[in-house]
């Protein structure tokens, strides 16, 4: 019996490199560790004995940390999740820019007045939670660099404006900027093509207008602009086809009038659309109608009344929560204890990022 011997084709150099790279990545993933040092009343972090490059998740929340050493973050090159919420941090280390693989950063409930500009180097970042701090501004060019950011939460701060570059966060799905001192929003919002939820509520006496470009947010599903000083809704909002929830209570609205508001979301959209049609001959409105048509949000009519949409006007439905001056806020260590707790981020395992192998205790870490 004769056997035919077939010669296996030789792999080229590129294929070998690819296979070797996949093997190395698999080995590195097997070695990644989760370190949880939360709720231990730590005031400082001693030098760890663990190789910092093997940490993929680091939880330091609910401690009394006032500083994160520069040398610590500079060596955590494989870190994907960093959670330091509810400490007493006044700043973040500049070396945070070394965390090129970081996807989730939670620094809420601290005393941070500004974010380091180097945070722009965290280009893998998908979620940034900086609620309940003392931020007065964000880095000017943050929107040009964090191209993968999907959720930006900066509520309960002292922000007067959002940087113009915010409108370039093309992957952004959720923007929460409530309970600040916002005077206005960036004019050019058309690049936020994936934005689904926009919350700019409770800026109280400061926010008086919404930009006309809000009608170009083609993916917007939920808009909360309640408890501000808005008198007129941009008529371009009549073109928001996907909008299902609109909250505008607590504003001195003149246009649309209250009788229109009481008819619900569909009534508001029809009113604004008719207003835009009536005024589209003016030079300013003409240019905006052209943009609305270009972005596919305006076709001269409003969708079917059967569309599944809601309009919330009841103050009972929207509960404002206590600020830093309330009894439920602990100034020594700003852990919010009132009716609304700081929102937690989804588990990295739920996000499907990776499968860490072990959970380290302080005994292993130090």
């Amino acid at each position: 019996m004769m056997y035919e011997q077939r010669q296996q084709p030789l792999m080229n150099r590129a294929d070998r490199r690819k296979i070797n790279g996949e093997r190395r990545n698999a080995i590195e993933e097997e070695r990644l560790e989760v370190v949880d040092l939360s709720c231990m009343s730590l005031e400082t972090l001693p030098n760890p004995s663990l190789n910092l490059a093997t940490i993929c998740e680091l939880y330091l929340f609910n401690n009394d940390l006032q500083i994160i050493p520069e040398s610590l973050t500079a060596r955590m090159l494989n870190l994907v999740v960093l959670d330091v919420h509810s400490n007493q941090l006044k700043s973040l280390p500049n070396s945070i820019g070394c965390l090129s693989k970081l996807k989730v950063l939670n620094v809420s409930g601290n005393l941070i007045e500004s974010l380091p500009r180097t945070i722009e180097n965290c280009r893998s970042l998908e979620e940034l939670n900086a609620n309940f701090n003392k931020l007065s501004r964000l880095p000017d060019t943050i929107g040009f660099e964090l191209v993968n950011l999907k959720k930006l939460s900066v509520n309960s701060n002292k922000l007067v404006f959002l940087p113009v570059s915010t409108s370039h966060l093309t992957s952004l799905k959720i923007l929460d900027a409530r309970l600040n001192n916002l005077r206005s929003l960036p004019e050019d919002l058309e690049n936020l093509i994936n934005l689904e939820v926009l919350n700019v509520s409770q800026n109280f006496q400061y926010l008086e207008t919404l930009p006309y470009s809000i009608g170009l947010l083609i993916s917007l599903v939920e808009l909360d602009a309640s408890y501000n000083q808005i008198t007129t809704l941009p008529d371009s909002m009549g073109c928001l086809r996907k909008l299902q929830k609109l909250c505008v209570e607590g504003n001195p609205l003149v246009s649309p009038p209250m009788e229109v508001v009481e008819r619900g979301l569909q009534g508001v959209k029809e009113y604004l659309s008719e207003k835009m049609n009536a005024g589209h001959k003016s030079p300013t409105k003409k240019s905006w109608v052209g943009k609305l048509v270009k972005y596919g949000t305006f076709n001269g009519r409003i969708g079917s009344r059967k569309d599944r949409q809601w309009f919330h006007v009841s103050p009972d439905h929207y509960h404002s929560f206590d600020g830093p001056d309330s009894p439920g806020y602990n100034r020594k260590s700003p852990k919010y204890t009132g009716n609304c707790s700081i929102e937690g981020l989804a588990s990295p395992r739920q996000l499907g990022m990776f499968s860490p192998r072990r959970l380290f205790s302080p005994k292993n870490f130090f």
Side-chain angles (χ1 to χ4, degrees), residues 137-241:
R137 63 182 302 164
L138 298 176
D140 289 337
T141 57
I142 190 171
F144 298 135
E145 304 297 337
L146 300 184
V147 295
N148 294 303
L149 195 65
K150 296 178 180 178
K151 181 178 179 180
L152 176 59
S153 296
V154 288
N155 77 59
S156 307
N157 280 284
K158 299 180 179 180
L159 296 174
V160 176
F161 63 90
L162 297 176
V164 175
S165 66
T166 305
S167 61
H168 292 267
L169 294 169
T170 55
S171 298
L172 197 64
K173 292 186 176 182
I174 299 174
L175 175 56
D176 183 0
R178 57 191 154 136
L179 280 165
N180 279 284
N181 301 329
L182 292 179
R183 265 69 171 177
S184 63
L185 298 180
E187 288 294 332
D188 300 323
L189 298 178
E190 52 262 41
N191 291 327
L192 301 181
I193 57 175
N194 291 302
L195 190 66
E196 298 176 359
V197 178
L198 175 59
N199 193 333
V200 291
S201 65
Q202 300 185 80
N203 282 280
F204 298 107
Q205 72 268 29
Y206 300 105
L207 188 59
E208 298 179 351
T209 61
L210 296 176
Y212 205 84
S213 59
I214 203 166
L216 301 175
L217 298 176
I218 59 177
S219 300
L220 195 64
V221 175
E222 179 178 337
L223 172 60
D224 191 342
S226 57
Y227 299 102
N228 290 299
Q229 289 296 311
I230 300 171
T231 58
T232 303
L233 295 181
D235 47 16
S236 62
M237 286 176 56
C239 303
L240 294 173
R241 295 181 180 180

Side-chain angles (χ1 to χ4, degrees), residues 42-328:
L42 295 176
E43 295 183 359
T44 59
L45 288 174
N47 291 327
S49 59
L50 179 68
N51 181 4
L52 296 179
T54 64
I55 301 176
C56 63
E57 298 179 47
L58 179 58
Y59 299 95
L60 298 171
F61 58 86
N62 283 323
N63 283 296
D64 294 312
L65 299 175
Q66 297 185 22
I67 189 172
I68 298 177
E70 292 278 354
S71 59
L72 185 72
T73 49
R75 291 181 289 165
M76 294 190 291
L77 302 181
N78 288 300
L79 197 65
V80 178
V81 177
L82 176 59
D83 189 343
V84 293
H85 81 257
S86 299
N87 278 280
Q88 298 187 56
L89 299 174
K90 294 183 179 180
S91 63
L92 295 178
N94 287 320
S95 59
I96 199 168
C98 298
L99 306 180
S100 60
K101 296 183 180 180
L102 190 67
K103 290 188 176 182
V104 177
L105 176 60
N106 189 348
V107 296
S108 59
N110 282 285
L111 305 169
I112 300 172
E113 297 182 357
S114 63
L115 297 177
R117 186 169 182 176
T118 53
I119 200 172
E120 299 169 356
N121 296 326
C122 302
R123 293 182 176 87
S124 297
L125 197 62
E126 296 181 4
E127 294 190 14
L128 173 56
N129 186 341
N131 301 333
F132 294 94
N133 277 285
K134 295 185 176 182
L135 294 174
S136 58
R137 63 182 302 164
L138 298 176
D140 289 337
T141 57
I142 190 171
F144 298 135
E145 304 297 337
L146 300 184
V147 295
N148 294 303
L149 195 65
K150 296 178 180 178
K151 181 178 179 180
L152 176 59
S153 296
V154 288
N155 77 59
S156 307
N157 280 284
K158 299 180 179 180
L159 296 174
V160 176
F161 63 90
L162 297 176
V164 175
S165 66
T166 305
S167 61
H168 292 267
L169 294 169
T170 55
S171 298
L172 197 64
K173 292 186 176 182
I174 299 174
L175 175 56
D176 183 0
R178 57 191 154 136
L179 280 165
N180 279 284
N181 301 329
L182 292 179
R183 265 69 171 177
S184 63
L185 298 180
E187 288 294 332
D188 300 323
L189 298 178
E190 52 262 41
N191 291 327
L192 301 181
I193 57 175
N194 291 302
L195 190 66
E196 298 176 359
V197 178
L198 175 59
N199 193 333
V200 291
S201 65
Q202 300 185 80
N203 282 280
F204 298 107
Q205 72 268 29
Y206 300 105
L207 188 59
E208 298 179 351
T209 61
L210 296 176
Y212 205 84
S213 59
I214 203 166
L216 301 175
L217 298 176
I218 59 177
S219 300
L220 195 64
V221 175
E222 179 178 337
L223 172 60
D224 191 342
S226 57
Y227 299 102
N228 290 299
Q229 289 296 311
I230 300 171
T231 58
T232 303
L233 295 181
D235 47 16
S236 62
M237 286 176 56
C239 303
L240 294 173
R241 295 181 180 180
K242 293 187 177 181
L243 192 64
Q244 296 179 6
K245 182 179 178 182
L246 176 64
C247 299
V248 292
E249 67 268 21
N251 285 288
L253 279 177
V254 175
S255 175
M258 187 52 63
E259 56 267 25
V260 173
V261 171
E262 292 175 349
R263 298 209 309 257
L265 176 57
Q266 189 63 29
V268 170
K269 291 175 72 173
E270 288 177 351
Y271 172 88
L272 295 174
S273 182
E274 291 171 1
K275 183 181 175 183
M276 183 170 60
N277 285 332
H280 78 280
K281 293 183 180 180
S282 69
T284 304
K285 291 291 179 67
K286 200 169 186 179
S287 63
W288 273 109
V289 170
K291 281 189 176 183
L292 293 168
V293 172
K294 176 183 176 182
Y295 280 81
T297 61
F298 178 65
N299 58 7
R301 64 180 184 276
I302 294 296
S304 169
R305 289 181 180 271
K306 296 180 181 179
D307 291 343
R308 187 182 175 195
Q309 298 167 334
W310 296 270
F311 185 78
H312 292 257
V313 294
S314 172
D316 296 332
H317 177 78
Y318 192 95
H319 300 286
S320 61
F321 47 90
D322 303 329
D325 296 325
S326 69

